[in-house]
Amino acid sequence: MAANYGLLGEHLSHSYSKQIHEALADYTYDLIELSKEELKDFMTAKDFAAVNVTIPYKRDVIPYLDELDERAKSIGAVNTVVNRNGKLFGYNTDYYGFLYTLKIHNIKITGEKVVVLGNGGAAQAVLAVLRDLSAKEIVIVDIVPGEGVCTYEEVNRLHTDATVLVNTSPIGMYPKVDASPIDITPFTMLTAVVDVIYNPEVTKLLAQAKNRDLIAVNGLQMLVSQAFYAVQHFLDTTLEEAKIEEVTQMIRETLY
């Protein structure tokens, strides 16, 4: 399947990436659904100018790349691949998307204790940003505990003094909108909650944060801003940052 620009993933029917990219840049952007068996042929054929990569292939594409930038290498995941004369270059713009979200909402990380729910692909860019911004302590929580990862029971027992909470898990995402990954009632020191989910606009987790007048931010700006930074790699150009808010508002009106 030839594609100049597009999104590579397994299930993409609910993706808004096409609308976002085509609002940011003057090209056609395709949704490229591939099974795990089809991925190898697509990547080795290199029949594309540039693609974004989403679940579950952010790590799977790495062996097919000729070069990884330092950010993608340290995160261990790629969401942007650019074909330059038959050589594939990998980047991670999720990092900059999350960084932009924190900046635009004035969420302070330096010196703060941050709880991150989930430890999958979406969490890795978030964790890299938190480390680079010198969070005082980062507590990773997952249903599968391991080295450096605690359980939900442990976070409720030991870490309710966190000031920022970030949900990178899919719990609460449409259509299972009645679910929440955690009850934040015991977390009396919280100032901000970020949920990388963008559908629904207000997850059950964010509704709880809003009821306490905390900073409560969903994942829509992260989605648009990671695309904004990807476009600049795709086209080797610079865009005005104001475009992020313009496109975010457009998608918000479409989505909600």
Side-chain angles (χ1 to χ4, degrees):
M1 178 197 293
N4 282 330
Y5 303 98
L7 175 66
L8 192 60
E10 195 171 28
H11 304 294
L12 303 174
S13 58
H14 296 295
S15 172
Y16 278 82
S17 291
K18 180 176 175 67
Q19 293 93 317
I20 292 168
H21 273 262
E22 291 179 359
L24 286 167
D26 185 23
Y27 53 62
T28 300
Y29 188 88
D30 299 311
L31 299 181
I32 308 159
E33 286 194 351
L34 296 179
S35 67
K36 289 181 173 65
E37 294 73 30
E38 294 170 314
L39 181 67
K40 181 182 178 182
D41 286 347
F42 181 87
M43 293 302 296
T44 52
K46 302 181 181 181
D47 197 8
F48 58 87
V51 290
N52 288 123
V53 184
T54 190
I55 297 167
Y57 300 133
K58 290 186 181 188
R59 290 190 177 102
D60 294 356
V61 297
I62 291 175
Y64 302 102
L65 306 181
D66 296 289
E67 284 194 36
L68 275 183
D69 87 327
E70 288 306 313
R71 186 76 66 200
K73 200 178 290 181
S74 66
I75 293 168
V78 163
N79 79 323
T80 300
V81 178
V82 181
N83 184 348
R84 298 193 180 103
N85 302 316
K87 279 197 162 188
L88 301 184
F89 293 77
Y91 306 91
N92 189 307
T93 66
D94 288 330
Y95 177 97
Y96 299 100
F98 184 63
L99 186 64
Y100 175 85
T101 298
L102 296 175
K103 181 182 78 171
I104 205 76
H105 292 282
N106 296 311
I107 298 172
K108 180 173 175 285
I109 297 298
T110 306
E112 301 297 314
K113 180 171 182 174
V114 186
V115 165
V116 177
L117 307 180
N119 193 31
Q124 303 317 308
V126 165
L127 291 167
V129 171
L130 297 175
R131 291 182 188 116
D132 288 351
L133 291 178
S134 302
K136 181 178 73 175
E137 186 178 352
I138 302 168
V139 180
I140 304 168
V141 190
D142 200 39
I143 52 173
V144 182
E147 190 179 343
V149 180
C150 74
T151 65
Y152 279 85
E153 186 273 329
E154 286 171 322
V155 78
N156 279 310
R157 185 160 45 84
L158 302 171
H159 301 294
T160 53
D161 58 338
T163 51
V164 180
L165 185 142
V166 183
N167 178 42
T168 71
S169 82
I171 299 170
M173 187 163 63
Y174 179 86
K176 297 179 181 177
V177 296
D178 290 332
S180 181
I182 202 165
D183 175 7
I184 60 169
T185 303
F187 293 78
T188 56
M189 309 287 284
L190 281 179
T191 59
V193 175
V194 182
D195 195 333
V196 302
I197 293 168
Y198 61 89
N199 188 7
E201 182 176 17
V202 181
T203 58
K204 193 171 180 182
L205 176 66
L206 289 181
Q208 199 180 8
K210 281 176 178 283
N211 286 340
R212 280 176 47 183
D213 292 324
L214 306 179
I215 298 171
V217 180
N218 75 6
L220 186 59
Q221 273 162 321
M222 183 175 172
L223 180 72
V224 174
S225 50
Q226 63 80 22
F228 169 87
Y229 294 110
V231 167
Q232 295 182 84
H233 287 302
F234 280 16
L235 302 179
D236 192 20
T237 190
T238 303
L239 302 177
E240 292 294 324
E241 208 173 62
K243 194 80 177 165
I244 297 174
E245 291 311 303
E246 181 188 316
V247 175
T248 299
Q249 188 54 38
M250 183 199 85
I251 298 297
R252 186 178 283 125
E253 288 166 6
T254 305
L255 191 55
Y256 311 130

